[in-house]
Amino acid sequence: MIEVLGFSTYQFLVFIHLLLFVLWLGADVGVFMLGQEFRQRHKYDLEKRLVLLQLLVNLDMVPRTAWALMVPISITMVYSGGYWDLPVWAVGLTWLVGAFWLALVWDAHMHDQTPRAARDRKIEFALKIGLTAFYLVLGAVSLATGEPLMMTWLAIKALMFGLIFAAAIMIDVAFKPVGPRLMKLIEEGSSDETEIPLLKTMNRSRFWVWVVYALLLATAFLGNVKPV
């Protein structure tokens, strides 16, 4: 294990992993709170609410960035810690996947509301489906056979990470109709006819947001306590 300034590669990766967790969960709570304030149609005028929404979209890039980086960091950490005897090329592949995902996320953000952004998000969606399947299969097979992840806590963590992917995908699916309804609100102004359908659509994603929070906390607990 390579050491730099007295710290092993594994210890450094654990620190980065924890930092990404804090950024993911912390920023996502901020996104949730901004969403709550946006709903207050009787507290803010529409112009102020749209500013809050823009802040929400910008802040949401923090958890999305952390999510993409979690893939190569987590796999490299498991490899460096000796928990999974992967070939070096496989570890390198995870960094290519993470870099590609990150490029899609930021390109879509920088070109929002364009065909280019729509294309990026379609590719990203397919990538997330593939990664969801990868982590679910990895965790399930490891729990059933004891390989390739021999530690039970690590196998459960991989399985739960796959569930986080699935729940986060459901947030995006539930939130997708918000775009057209938001445009209707902007074009026609605030009224029950424009506000209520938008609010109902936004509220559908709440359940999956809480599922992600619970799973993130559970995976952090497993990673630090390593109970089994």
Side-chain angles (χ1 to χ4, degrees), residues 51-109:
V51 171
L52 291 173
L53 190 62
Q54 185 59 54
L55 288 172
L56 181 155
V57 170
N58 290 335
L59 183 59
D60 192 44
M61 293 304 295
V62 176
R64 288 183 181 275
T65 298
W67 186 12
L69 289 174
M70 273 288 193
V71 173
I73 288 293
S74 62
I75 297 297
T76 307
M77 184 174 65
V78 169
Y79 167 76
S80 296
Y83 294 110
W84 190 2
D85 188 21
L86 279 169
V88 175
W89 67 262
V91 178
L93 180 61
T94 66
W95 283 95
L96 290 177
V97 170
F100 179 59
W101 185 2
L102 204 57
L104 289 173
V105 167
W106 278 96
D107 192 63
H109 179 69

Side-chain angles (χ1 to χ4, degrees), residues 19-227:
L19 180 61
L20 289 176
F21 168 78
V22 170
L23 289 172
W24 186 347
L25 185 58
D28 210 72
V29 170
V31 170
F32 183 84
M33 293 178 66
L34 285 169
Q36 292 295 99
E37 289 301 300
F38 174 80
R39 289 169 168 81
Q40 306 301 316
R41 57 183 288 203
H42 301 299
K43 184 176 179 181
Y44 305 104
D45 60 37
L46 181 56
E47 184 178 353
K48 289 180 181 177
R49 290 169 63 208
L50 291 176
V51 171
L52 291 173
L53 190 62
Q54 185 59 54
L55 288 172
L56 181 155
V57 170
N58 290 335
L59 183 59
D60 192 44
M61 293 304 295
V62 176
R64 288 183 181 275
T65 298
W67 186 12
L69 289 174
M70 273 288 193
V71 173
I73 288 293
S74 62
I75 297 297
T76 307
M77 184 174 65
V78 169
Y79 167 76
S80 296
Y83 294 110
W84 190 2
D85 188 21
L86 279 169
V88 175
W89 67 262
V91 178
L93 180 61
T94 66
W95 283 95
L96 290 177
V97 170
F100 179 59
W101 185 2
L102 204 57
L104 289 173
V105 167
W106 278 96
D107 192 63
H109 179 69
M110 298 300 292
H111 300 89
D112 199 19
Q113 305 299 320
T114 67
R116 177 170 172 169
R119 179 209 62 191
D120 287 341
R121 288 180 178 126
K122 284 181 181 178
I123 298 171
E124 184 196 359
F125 185 79
L127 179 63
K128 289 190 290 190
I129 292 292
L131 288 169
T132 301
F134 167 74
Y135 280 104
L136 290 175
V137 170
L138 175 63
V141 170
S142 296
L143 281 174
T145 67
E147 294 180 348
L149 303 177
M150 293 182 290
M151 306 298 292
T152 302
W153 66 267
L154 188 56
I156 295 174
K157 188 174 179 181
L159 185 62
M160 293 179 70
F161 199 40
L163 293 175
I164 290 172
F165 268 71
I169 288 171
M170 288 307 301
I171 292 174
D172 287 343
V173 170
F175 211 76
K176 190 174 182 179
V178 164
R181 290 184 174 143
L182 179 62
M183 290 304 299
K184 185 175 181 181
L185 171 64
I186 294 171
E187 292 170 359
E188 299 181 13
S190 180
S191 67
D192 286 347
E193 289 71 24
T194 57
E195 294 278 5
I196 293 175
L198 176 61
L199 181 61
K200 287 182 178 179
T201 303
M202 294 181 75
N203 286 343
R204 288 193 192 104
S205 65
R206 279 183 172 182
F207 170 77
W208 298 109
V209 170
W210 287 113
V211 170
V212 168
Y213 291 170
L215 288 170
L216 279 172
L217 291 172
T219 54
F221 175 82
L222 280 174
N224 283 276
V225 179
K226 301 178 177 61

